[in-house]
Amino acid sequence: MNISNRIIVTPLGAGQDVGRSCILITIGNRNIMLDCGMHMGYQDERKFPDFSYITSDGNITDIIDCVIISHFHLDHCGALSYLTEHLGYHGPIYMTHPTKAIAPILLEDMRKHLVEYEEEAKYFTSSAIRDCMKKVTAVNLHEVVTVKEDIELKAYYAGHVLGAAMFYIKVGNDSVVYTGDFSMTPDRHLGAAWIDKCRPTLLITESTYATTIRDSKRCRERDFLKNVHECIDRGGKVLIPIFALGRAQELCILIDTYWDRMGLKVPVYFAAGLTEKANSYYKMFITWTNQKVRQTFVHRNMFDFKHIKPFDKTYMHNPGPMVVFATPGMLHAGLSLNIFKKWAPDEKNMLIVPGYCVSGTVGNKVLSGSKKIEAEPNKFIDVKMSVEYLSFSAHADGKGIIQLIKNCEPQNVLLVHGEEEKMKFLRAKIMQEFNINCYMPANGETVEIETANIHTFNMSTKLVKEILDDQSNNLGNGKRLVHGAFLLKNGSSNLNAMSVKDTFKELDIQRHTLRFTCTVEIKESSTIQKTKTKLYNMLENNLPIFKNKLTMSDGSISLASILVTVEDSMDNNKKKIVISWANEDEPLGNHVLEMLQNMSKSD
Amino acid sequence: MKVYCLSEDPNKPCFVIKLKSVTIMLDCGLSAHSVLNFLPLYPIPDWKPNKAAAWIPKNFSDPQIEGELNECMTNQVLVNSAPEFMTPLTKLVDFADIDVILVSNYMTMLALPFITENTGFKGVVYMTEPTLHIGKLFLEELVDFVEQSPKPNVAKYWKEILHLLPPPLCNSFKPHTWKQLYSLAQVNSSLTRVQMISYDQKIEITGALTVTAVSSGYCLGSSNWVIYLESKKLVYVSNTSTLTTHPRPMDQVNLKNADLMLLSSLTQAPAANPDSMLGELCLSVAVTLRNNGSVLIPCYPSGVVYDLFECLSSHLDSTALGQIPMYFISPVAHSSLEYSNILAEWLSQSKQNKVYFPEEPFPHAQLVKSGRLKHFKHVYTDDLWNDLRQPCVVFCGHPSLRFGDVVHFVEYWGTNPQNTIIFTEPEFPYLEALAPFQPLSMKAMHCPIDTSMNFTQANKMIKDLKPAVLILPECYAIPPAGFGHKNEFVIDQVDRKVLTIKRGEVISEKLDIKTVNVPFTTEMVVSVTLNELQSGLKASKFTAVLDTKDNKYKLDILRDDLLANKTTEPYLLETLFKKTYEWGQLDIDRFLRALTNEGVSDPKIEHNTHGYTIHLKSEDTLIQVDDKSTHIFCEKMDKNWRLKLRSIVMECLNSF
Ligand SMILES: [Zn+2]
């Protein structure tokens, strides 16, 4: 159908990369920005998505119809206040309620770090964050939100962190599902991502762990606790750099219950003073956690920790074993980096990194085995403490991504938020297993996907009735031959079907009837009436398909648009047969004419 | 479509609609009016005053009636038995046929176990998350109330001799159909059939229709419903509030321009303004407390009670009574308070915004923390009596005063004239509710608070929403007794078709469906090329195959094997499958030029009133042309000539 459309996708960030997620999509005439993240691995302009791609030709609010934020991680929402307060975007922004509640806290946390280390962070003020969040509309799971009349949004549960959502976006007949970050396995406080068979034109999925088949969560939890326990047993200090919200709550539940069970007395601290506040959010958004936490919340709040106490900066110099959770999670700044600098040279100590560290961060360098870290210009730190990477960040693995594709049945897949090599591997796998296209554009690279996505049309009940009443179109087995017309009004996504007659009426176009009339003389001496009956019988026998379209009245025989009349001829032994038909029945009309001509010849 | 009415009380609605092949139940309210005819159940059995004496009809003796009836001090006769409820009518619709039940709010689902358990019900129940959580609390509380003071006997015989009984008992509506309450096991089994939904979520039902819940502003998670069947829109309006209280505001937009609207559950206190009632309540609470009396407020475990906590506490603060404790006693009090603070998405904007700080959305969370509001499971727990400090305000159920902890408090505080009982739930006539406890010294106040729309608001809403057809409970079309002809207590019946319905009735209403939504195959989509024939309008003819098996339609291209089945005659195939439709006017100059090119040299043209007549003498052909038609009279028996002429004409016309 030539009302086919295109979906255009351009990653401004997270194209063959992890960090500063920001994907621009165009469906129909609508431009939508998916996430607006910040890259924690860079200090320069690469920190932000490449907004110049959009702003070079005009006002950003005129170009972008809406912005969707998948979850509160800074690599997904970190540049939002820059977009609204610096670049002046003032169109609609959507995110879930928990994201709207928690994102400003992480933004504020990041702002403090940036202001400490960077000159150019002047635009980045607390009031800018507040003003930005005022522009946000919060959505509920599964609620269908209509934006600017023709964009439909629907959020699905994504697991990953509290409030994380996958978004289904539909414009006209085309649709996109954007996963943000998601996890397909439930954990200690969150459930698994879920989506129905919504059959999007395109699925844009993260692919952080594209090639990993992940071992069971229980094993990782056991390893984590074993590592922690061994370290404190030898008198060491354990540093766990972490985001204040999200994985932190899961690990706190884990440590708290373990300390309880083992009767441990070694102090556990949570830095940043955020804990109590953070836990309030978890409590009030308990409906976003998993079944078990939800069912018990009235009697026991899972987020009231018995063994975890607030941390004070001075504690890092205390002797003896301890466990400290500190922000930020990638050791790129702030308290966790300070503690690391202090504890790294002692081999008794241990660093457990429970999440992904983007390249460029100290966390990333340590994890890739660097034993000397340049924490400040020309100041190197020897890393003697043991370093463990425990992947607790809840992303789907390859198997989970394949499962998601099976669940929602997309027509195309596009990978973002991953590393090029791993993406290539997953891409091949998807194309092979599902026989669909799979794309993996780099930042700034545009993918265009042709679509032909009208799946249904509205058929007039009048036409349906005409079809069912007319036996001559019965092809057997419930199948009916239909002649009709499609009509599409500009700007409407509803294709209508009706009879040709009604279509002309709707189009306000005058139909032009083309008719043929021919005369044949046949040898026939009986009355006009008898001749008519004879002809009628002949037509009935020869054209059984049209049996119920054949009628005989006083004046004539009619079959569809064909009219046959009998008149007396000058010659008493002959009759004049006048046959007339409309152009739409030309082959049949001509056939009947030939039948009559044969009669006249054979006489 | 058909609409069945299964409930006699429009505030405990239960309708069934049949649309196409789908059967939908709208709400399943439980009418508890019948329980007023029963003796109260005392939560503390040894604390049971003896105010009611055995009663039998005059000049009547039948041992079967003994022990069934008691007369209280107001001469009202009450049944000594486990209480019975009025459930939705069972005879009109087989519950096993129901595909889905749509539950609007937690107040209209209390008959759910009667519908889903042991009836062969196989369907799905849709409701919002708050409706499920809070509805569960209501059901559990009700079961707890009735089961904590079990009555060994079930009185039945009195139903046989209704005509011998005094009013109001003799006016009981079909007491044979009354039922005892369900069990907790039945409640739990019933709730396993629930599927939670969001507002504005589109739910497909058996592929035939789409259902959406929209906010009704009445209570946490309360909904109205929009049902789409093809191009037709039906809306069901249940408890709806246009006032600003704690729930998310009502969504009017989605209810607009429906083909049919079914309206139920308007206010039960049409003459009382909720705000002024709340004001009166606060005043009389303050007066009572100042006189050293305590206040008893019979209530349900969620809903208006949250607003009462909020308004009353701030009123008491402002009148220097801030130290007075409030007690919320219910088996589900704790859960209700906890749930109210985790459902931010379903609250008014101002309450929702608090969560972002993060602060609990309701002030009662703070009242609980500071110890001003205390909650207890039961009146018979020692904790309560160790804590209870008078004067105080006690909130507890059930508002009928026939079971629950309130029964104890009415007796316990009833002898003290300084105390006050304030009725806020409009459902039960308060004097009838108090009858078995008389004589009472405690003051009784009636401040009915029902935030549902009143008739004036409903009439305005209907005017704005413009439904084509409106179906009403019969009683909304007649002014209530005692209100004369006041039309502020009826729904206007102008500007549209209005039908009324009452318990046991069925309405058939034809839905004139103009189009049906039909899917097509990918090949079919690809085969169509639309052309812009008018500005803004694209069209294309098609010849295709409509599969009509099982009344489910699908459009596919015409495949060769199907053709072969039908016929092999080429002329038939062409007639059946190749159609052209001409339009516009014949371009006469072009036509004549084309004839000349074909060697037809002698066209003779005559103008007439309609158009032209063209004689082609050498070809023995006459052509009549006007704006709308071209008629070729071809006497020459030469097929080739006729077909040549045909193609010339067609070239000079637009075709589609
Ligand atoms: Zn994330």
Side-chain angles (χ1 to χ4, degrees), chain A residues 71 73 76 160 181:
Chain A
H71 64 287
H73 279 157
H76 293 260
H160 186 63
D181 293 349

Side-chain angles (χ1 to χ4, degrees), chain A residues 4 7 19 46 58 61 95 177 189 198 229 248 257 326 347 352 449 463 524 535:
Chain A
S4 74
I7 293 181
R46 286 174 297 172
T61 309
M95 56 181 76
V177 167
H189 71 296
C198 56
H229 203 158
T257 42
E347 60 199 3
I352 301 181
I449 297 164
L463 179 59
E524 183 60 65
L535 288 175

Side-chain angles (χ1 to χ4, degrees), chain A residues 313-559:
Chain A
K313 269 182 193 167
T314 58
Y315 295 175
M316 79 169 94
H317 307 290
N318 287 1
M322 66 174 89
V323 179
V324 175
F325 291 94
T327 57
M330 301 185 197
L331 290 179
H332 55 281
L335 187 63
S336 64
L337 184 60
N338 284 337
I339 300 176
F340 171 77
K341 286 189 218 160
K342 168 88 184 149
W343 292 359
D346 187 341
E347 60 199 3
K348 279 212 303 290
N349 296 342
M350 176 179 265
L351 174 74
I352 301 181
V353 184
Y356 188 88
C357 292
V358 298
S359 59
T361 59
V362 172
N364 185 282
K365 283 174 197 155
V366 177
L367 281 180
S368 47
S370 301
K371 291 295 168 197
K372 264 201 191 306
I373 302 284
E374 189 177 11
E376 284 158 53
N378 299 319
K379 211 180 160 195
F380 288 87
I381 293 169
D382 288 320
V383 182
K384 292 202 179 134
M385 75 197 302
S386 53
V387 176
E388 293 286 339
Y389 175 64
L390 272 168
S391 148
F392 265 95
S393 68
H395 292 276
D397 61 9
K399 225 165 86 188
I401 296 167
I402 297 284
Q403 186 57 48
L404 186 83
I405 296 174
K406 278 186 184 147
N407 290 357
C408 71
E409 291 188 2
Q411 296 165 29
N412 300 275
V413 175
L414 188 144
L415 304 177
V416 294
H417 199 281
E419 291 156 28
E420 189 184 354
E421 287 308 310
K422 294 178 181 177
M423 279 184 176
K424 277 185 184 155
F425 175 84
L426 182 65
R427 175 171 175 262
K429 202 167 163 199
I430 290 168
M431 289 173 64
Q432 188 201 355
E433 191 163 339
F434 298 98
N435 193 26
I436 54 178
N437 277 324
C438 183
Y439 308 86
M440 40 174 285
N443 285 336
E445 191 185 325
T446 295
V447 169
E448 291 194 13
I449 297 164
E450 290 285 336
T451 66
N453 263 323
I454 292 195
H455 301 292
T456 65
F457 62 98
N458 297 325
M459 195 167 201
S460 82
T461 36
K462 206 168 132 200
L463 179 59
V464 173
K465 194 171 179 311
E466 275 172 33
I467 295 162
L468 295 178
D469 287 349
D470 181 356
Q471 278 302 318
S472 70
N473 347 305
N474 197 336
L475 301 173
N477 206 12
K479 293 190 161 62
R480 298 303 192 105
L481 182 70
V482 193
H483 299 290
F486 289 118
L487 189 73
L488 183 76
K489 289 197 172 92
N490 263 5
S492 162
S493 61
N494 292 328
L495 185 66
N496 293 299
M498 58 195 89
S499 67
V500 172
K501 200 174 143 194
D502 288 342
T503 309
F504 276 113
K505 224 184 272 169
E506 285 288 317
L507 287 167
D508 196 20
I509 282 178
Q510 179 61 52
R511 211 170 146 181
H512 194 98
T513 324
L514 175 55
R515 252 188 123 70
F516 297 95
T517 300
C518 298
T519 315
V520 182
E521 283 211 330
I522 59 166
K523 203 172 189 182
E524 183 60 65
S525 51
S526 61
T527 62
I528 288 180
Q529 195 52 43
K530 279 188 180 154
T531 312
K532 245 166 75 180
T533 310
K534 196 174 156 190
L535 288 175
Y536 181 87
N537 291 338
M538 181 189 80
L539 291 173
E540 192 178 23
N541 291 334
N542 283 294
L543 301 167
I545 297 176
F546 296 105
K547 210 169 156 181
N548 27 22
K549 282 193 174 173
L550 187 63
T551 58
M552 184 160 61
S553 66
D554 288 351
S556 58
I557 302 168
S558 78
L559 195 175

Side-chain angles (χ1 to χ4, degrees), chain B residues 159-174:
Chain B
K159 297 178 186 175
E160 308 297 330
I161 55 161
L162 270 191
H163 57 287
L164 299 173
L165 307 180
L169 196 54
C170 62
N171 300 326
S172 296
F173 185 75
K174 301 197 183 210

